Amino acid sequence: LLCLLLEMMDAKTVVEIGVFRGMTTLAFALCLRRLEEKSEFSHKRRVIALDISEEFTEIGKKSWHQAGVEKIIDFRVGDAKYSLKTLLEEEGEESVDLCFIDADKSSYDDYYEKCLKITKKGGLIVIDNTLWGARVLINDNILDALHNINENTDARNTDSLVSKTNMNTIMDAKSIKDLTKKISSDERVERVCFLTIADGVTICRKK
């Protein structure tokens, strides 16, 4: 689906926030290479891939090399909030065709706002895991109550009602749900599409 969208846009630049093992990065790069091979004119096409760690990405780098697309991929390590800020300073506003957000859920809103700045008019912002294992269906009052518990519970208290891991997962659901609500009424974007495939994907086009 994402490759089809890139082909329809004749995309030149993709930003991926959250690389993990690099399989989506590879798919993006292969698609951009195919677009370049089919194009009458030469363009600089690239995937700018952002992740806070290299640990898991080392697996992906081998696949990138084997596929011969490593030169298309600009991999940057660091907190994506700062990497996006640097990218904005380097490339300027409205310089990216598609942004793909799939990193820490608590920062989704921050990533979305920065992506709005760097995405071209008519470009796409794609957000992954917007179902979050159906946890976004939890009632707002319950999410708010759990959020308050989380804010007032000592992180060292292992006997708390909800384990720290589960609490973080639930708080991620609140972040995703809040962003989904925001996007649904955000006048800066249009053609918002919510797909229930896999763990949920939200696609919106910048006006």
Side-chain angles (χ1 to χ4, degrees), residues 95-124:
S95 56
V96 173
D97 297 288
L98 183 146
C99 287
F100 182 69
I101 302 173
D102 184 21
D104 57 303
K105 314 311 173 192
S106 61
S107 299
Y108 263 27
D109 186 79
D110 189 287
Y111 298 148
Y112 172 72
E113 288 296 330
K114 288 182 169 62
C115 286
L116 275 173
K117 291 182 179 180
I118 62 174
T119 303
K120 297 176 181 177
K121 291 180 180 179
L124 299 178

Side-chain angles (χ1 to χ4, degrees), residues 134-143 146 170 173 177:
R135 296 178 187 89
V136 293
L137 299 178
I138 297 173
N139 184 278
D140 286 347
N141 292 333
I142 295 175
L143 284 176
L146 289 170
I170 292 170
K177 192 170 186 176

Side-chain angles (χ1 to χ4, degrees), residues 11-76:
K12 313 295 188 303
T13 306
V14 174
V15 170
E16 180 187 21
I17 305 164
V19 177
F20 195 44
R21 294 192 176 96
M23 294 301 101
T24 304
T25 319
L26 175 61
F28 281 140
L30 289 170
C31 183
L32 292 182
R33 184 176 68 181
R34 185 161 63 248
L35 281 173
E36 185 60 24
E37 291 170 349
K38 292 165 59 177
S39 176
E40 293 182 34
F41 306 99
S42 179
H43 300 283
K44 181 180 180 181
R45 302 182 195 261
R46 58 184 175 147
V47 181
I48 302 172
L50 313 177
D51 203 284
I52 200 165
S53 171
E54 286 188 278
E55 180 181 357
F56 294 104
T57 312
E58 289 300 321
I59 299 170
K61 285 181 178 179
K62 296 176 182 178
S63 299
W64 303 346
H65 177 72
Q66 290 172 355
V69 294
E70 68 270 27
K71 291 183 179 179
I72 299 175
I73 300 169
D74 178 2
F75 177 59
R76 305 185 184 190

